[in-house]
Amino acid sequence: MNVLDFAGAFFGDGAHWHGYDGIPQRLLEHVQYSLLALGLAALIGLPVGLVTGHTGRGGNALALVATAARALPSFGLLVLIVIMMGFGLLPVMIPLVILAVPPILVTTYEAVRSVDPAPVDAARGMGMREGRILLQVELPVALPLILSGLRSAAIQIVSTATIAAYVSLGGLGRYIVDGLYQRDYEKVVGGATLVAVLALVTLALFWAAGRLAVSPGVRRR
Amino acid sequence: MSAHRRVFGALIRMDSVTKRYPDGTVAVDRLSLEIPDRSITVLVGPSGCGKTTTLRMINRMVEPSEGTILLDGEDVTRQPVTTLRRSMGYVIQNAGLFQHRTIVDNIATVPRMLGRSKREARERAAELMERVGLDTALARRYPYQLSGGQQQRVGVARALAADPPVLLMDEPFSAVDPVVRKGLQDELLRIQDELGKTIVFVTHDIDEAIRLGTMVAVMREGGRLAQYAPPAELLSAPADAFVEDFLGADRGVRRLSFFPAAGLELTTVPVVPVDATAKRLGAAAKSPYLLVTDVDGRPLGWSEPRDLTPGDIGTDRLLPYGRPFTPGTDSLRAALDCAVLSPTGWAVAVDADGKVLGVVSQSAIGEAIRTAHAGHAGAASAPVTGAVS
Ligand SMILES: Nc1ncnc2c1ncn2[C@@H]1O[C@H](COP(=O)(O)OP(=O)(O)O)[C@@H](O)[C@H]1O
Ligand SMILES: [Mg+2]
């Protein structure tokens, strides 16, 4: 049997489409974990990146923290946190957020830094306040890059959220973890395929968001 | 048209202003300058001499280390910095437009910031587009869809949108090609005629300074004032070798721009119509060259008298008459230029309809130049107006 046969068998089995271990339920859980982690990471990464990018201060410290965070292995972190804190949603969220903050933070910082200083100077010269300069002059122009940071964070979260299954939570990781344990390779391949598809859907959503949110004057078409 | 209150210019007084940057650079050194209202004051000088720093101290983008700056008699530090800046339009070299906003919304920025409704602000923006010579069809475009010259016009319109009494311009036309730049300069002079703002204009181009300035402040390295004078006076009496050098080698010729050609004595003796009689040609034959005109009096070209047959003047063998000048509006410089470019050494003067008023020789223009310079010598030795540090 090859991979395609495994996948075919998995998705062809009607039993996999309902119930607490059915595909819709696991998909929903996976999306929920991912959205929560992305939301928390954006809540940290966006404001810090925007403000440091605008003021230009703290860039070095930021790069250092980001590199350190990137070096941490998510799975290792999960195990460590579970040992310290026990099971639950929080031990899953911490490594996911730590994984997602650096790309958001660093890209947002770089995006704001790379905005042409001339319009910023003009805005300041016409008496615009700093907050407004950041939100109305810099952000709209930095948006494509910021979205790309959020996108890579989202993709990483979607693929890494499978670790939730190791601490008895749901999500698409269940199929992979259980499948490996039960030597049910249909299940493993099915779960992995679903994660890959979800990652592609995420890409498509970000592309659509870019079309909607970025001004034609910035997209230049 | 909305009923905008006309806000006129304001007077700016800089009193022994020094700017020392944190790294120790003295960008501006005890500069005192009285900038008259409703006129264009140009700060000119080589790169790095402190022009931008001086300009940016007026709207407090840079805070002076020492000295005071008064606007209409009041210290600029007395009011909140955003209030101060909103009373001053600010135009920079590459326009600095907001690329995510349409042209009309770029221009509407300050009115919107001041709380006007979107509709009102856009109406005002459309009005300003016309004022600065922009087709209102461009209103919904984005900055990247405009040429450099058009972008700069948008920059000027945006700065004028809230009708500020003061306009600060930092090398606004330096990045566009010479033809577009001339158009923008003409437009600025026209706008200034109509609106009477107090404009402080920075440039490194002495020609631009002389063309635009009511007063010109020449600055030198180290942020010191070299001379502050009206352009004609700058050209006739440079304060020192630095200013003289900065003005360039042809300042004598350029100074002629400030003398009208109206006083030139024109002669009509060598001017003959294409249907001239033998008698008329005979009367003119003493001149080395004759200017042939059509029956309406418009110039056709030069000819030697012996080449002309009465009643049948062939127009195909005439020498080109070059570019004519108009005595009422042109300067001595334009007249001299015409004479130098003319194949016969005579300049052709025409009226507004292009009909020949007469001709004038190079030597007659030279005489007029000597008279003009002599007449102006007394004025040039008078003390320069404005503050001297
Ligand atoms: N922010 C700054 N920090 C330190 N030195 C500066 C700063 N801005 C300008 N300078 C220096 O001050 C001098 C005057 O600069 P500037 O006002 O920009 O001159 P200009 O506009 O005439 O070219 C230059 O020597 C420049 O290098
Ligand atoms: Mg400068």
Side-chain angles (χ1 to χ4, degrees):
Chain A
M1 272 188 125
N2 67 24
V3 173
L4 282 179
D5 294 331
F6 282 136
F10 178 77
F11 291 111
D13 185 347
H16 283 145
W17 288 95
H18 37 75
Y20 76 95
D21 195 33
I23 292 171
Q25 176 64 22
R26 291 304 183 211
L27 206 55
L28 183 67
E29 288 164 358
H30 202 92
V31 169
Q32 282 171 342
Y33 301 154
S34 298
L35 280 179
L36 184 59
L38 185 65
L40 290 173
L43 221 54
I44 299 166
L46 284 182
V48 177
L50 285 173
V51 171
T52 49
H54 176 74
T55 59
R57 285 191 213 113
N60 290 335
L62 211 114
L64 202 73
V65 171
T67 314
R70 271 178 179 149
L72 289 176
S74 304
F75 188 62
L77 202 60
L78 177 73
V79 173
L80 202 68
I81 292 168
V82 169
I83 292 171
M84 286 180 345
M85 300 176 54
F87 289 73
L89 189 59
L90 191 61
V92 176
M93 281 303 134
I94 290 174
L96 287 182
V97 169
I98 287 177
L99 177 77
V101 165
I104 296 175
L105 186 57
V106 173
T107 331
T108 304
Y109 172 82
E110 292 295 344
V112 178
R113 292 300 298 157
S114 65
V115 171
D116 180 4
V120 175
D121 190 57
R124 198 167 282 137
M126 64 179 73
M128 205 181 271
R129 292 179 211 285
E130 294 303 311
R132 203 160 168 153
I133 291 176
L134 175 57
L135 296 179
Q136 295 188 2
V137 178
E138 293 173 308
L139 180 60
V141 178
L143 198 56
L145 253 181
I146 293 176
L147 282 175
S148 83
L150 283 169
R151 186 186 60 208
S152 45
I155 303 278
Q156 287 187 40
I157 288 174
V158 165
S159 40
T160 313
T162 46
I163 60 173
Y166 284 101
V167 291
S168 317
L169 287 174
L172 296 171
R174 275 265 64 88
Y175 296 135
I176 298 170
V177 172
D178 297 348
L180 284 171
Y181 182 70
Q182 300 158 2
R183 297 180 180 237
D184 179 350
Y185 297 117
E186 270 178 39
K187 225 178 195 176
V188 177
V189 170
T193 308
L194 283 168
V195 173
V197 168
L198 197 56
L200 288 178
V201 170
T202 308
L203 267 183
L205 285 176
F206 271 94
W207 178 83
R211 297 290 308 198
L212 285 177
V214 178
S215 156
V218 176
R219 279 192 277 123
R220 307 217 152 189
R221 74 180 98 95
Chain B
M1 294 294 256
S2 64
H4 266 280
R5 191 170 56 93
R6 266 263 168 110
V7 182
F8 282 118
L11 178 117
I12 302 164
R13 190 194 304 269
M14 307 190 84
D15 201 4
S16 195
V17 173
T18 295
K19 177 61 192 183
R20 209 174 294 106
Y21 282 110
D23 66 0
T25 312
V26 177
V28 175
D29 191 10
R30 285 162 297 163
L31 180 73
S32 293
L33 212 56
E34 191 162 291
I35 294 168
D37 61 352
R38 297 187 212 184
S39 59
I40 302 180
T41 299
V42 179
L43 306 177
V44 68
S47 175
C49 71
K51 308 179 293 291
T52 296
T53 304
T54 304
L55 189 79
R56 288 163 69 94
M57 284 193 288
I58 297 174
N59 69 354
R60 291 179 63 195
M61 300 280 278
V62 171
E63 295 288 353
S65 313
E66 284 158 33
T68 50
I69 300 173
L70 305 179
L71 171 67
D72 263 342
E74 198 189 332
D75 195 320
V76 291
T77 56
R78 291 274 295 275
Q79 52 181 322
V81 70
T82 49
T83 314
L84 176 78
R85 288 177 188 165
R86 285 168 196 185
S87 72
M88 298 182 172
Y90 183 53
V91 186
I92 56 179
Q93 184 166 349
N94 290 310
L97 300 184
F98 306 137
Q99 51 166 302
H100 61 288
R101 286 193 184 159
T102 57
I103 300 310
V104 67
D105 285 339
N106 261 281
I107 301 172
T109 304
V110 183
R112 289 288 288 148
M113 220 159 63
L114 296 175
R116 302 266 182 77
S117 76
K118 201 161 199 155
R119 201 179 59 86
E120 202 184 342
R122 281 186 173 163
E123 266 170 26
R124 170 80 180 140
E127 206 178 298
L128 276 154
M129 286 185 75
E130 280 169 26
R131 161 98 57 214
V132 300
L134 277 171
D135 188 347
T136 43
L138 299 175
R140 306 293 293 274
R141 297 248 187 112
Y142 286 95
Y144 80 94
Q145 295 167 312
L146 267 56
S147 71
Q150 288 172 325
Q151 292 197 21
Q152 209 47 259
R153 284 174 200 266
V154 178
V156 173
R158 184 175 64 179
L160 287 171
D163 215 3
V166 178
L167 208 53
L168 306 178
M169 310 180 85
D170 193 352
E171 310 228 8
F173 309 147
S174 296
V176 295
D177 66 68
V179 177
V180 176
R181 187 182 314 149
K182 171 114 185 347
L184 289 167
Q185 290 169 347
D186 287 340
E187 204 79 27
L188 182 69
L189 289 171
R190 191 181 55 70
I191 291 168
Q192 171 62 3
D193 264 355
E194 291 169 10
L195 301 181
K197 302 289 183 190
T198 301
I199 300 179
V200 189
F201 189 105
V202 164
T203 180
H204 62 260
D205 176 359
I206 184 67
D207 287 316
E208 186 167 60
I210 284 173
R211 212 166 120 60
L212 295 179
T214 313
M215 290 292 285
V216 176
V218 183
M219 293 179 69
R220 60 173 7 134
E221 298 82 356
R224 278 168 301 139
L225 185 64
Q227 187 169 8
Y228 188 40
E233 193 174 302
L234 212 59
L235 289 168
S236 63
D240 56 20
F242 169 79
V243 178
E244 186 163 5
D245 200 42
F246 191 69
L247 288 167
D250 55 349
R251 76 176 165 90
V253 174
R254 282 205 309 231
R255 199 181 150 220
L256 296 178
S257 314
F258 294 95
F259 300 118
L264 284 174
E265 222 166 285
L266 307 175
T267 169
T268 53
V269 176
V271 181
V272 292
V274 70
D275 56 355
T277 58
K279 185 161 165 272
R280 176 76 185 80
L281 281 179
K286 281 197 295 294
S287 306
Y289 287 99
L290 300 183
L291 180 72
V292 180
T293 68
D294 65 12
V295 288
D296 293 325
R298 293 193 175 79
L300 293 171
W302 292 98
S303 176
E304 286 185 39
R306 60 185 156 82
D307 291 341
L308 299 180
T309 329
D312 178 30
I313 294 177
T315 53
D316 47 338
R317 288 190 309 153
L318 298 175
L319 294 171
Y321 61 91
R323 194 164 49 90
F325 71 100
T326 311
T329 52
D330 279 334
S331 66
L332 272 185
R333 186 180 180 177
L336 179 64
D337 198 52
C338 295
V340 170
L341 291 176
S342 164
T344 61
W346 291 66
V348 178
V350 295
D351 63 13
D353 296 328
K355 294 184 183 172
V356 174
L357 293 169
V359 294
V360 56
S361 67
Q362 273 182 10
S363 60
I365 296 173
E367 190 55 44
I369 291 170
R370 278 187 290 282
T371 313
H373 280 191
H376 200 263
S381 58
V384 289
T385 35
V388 180
S389 66

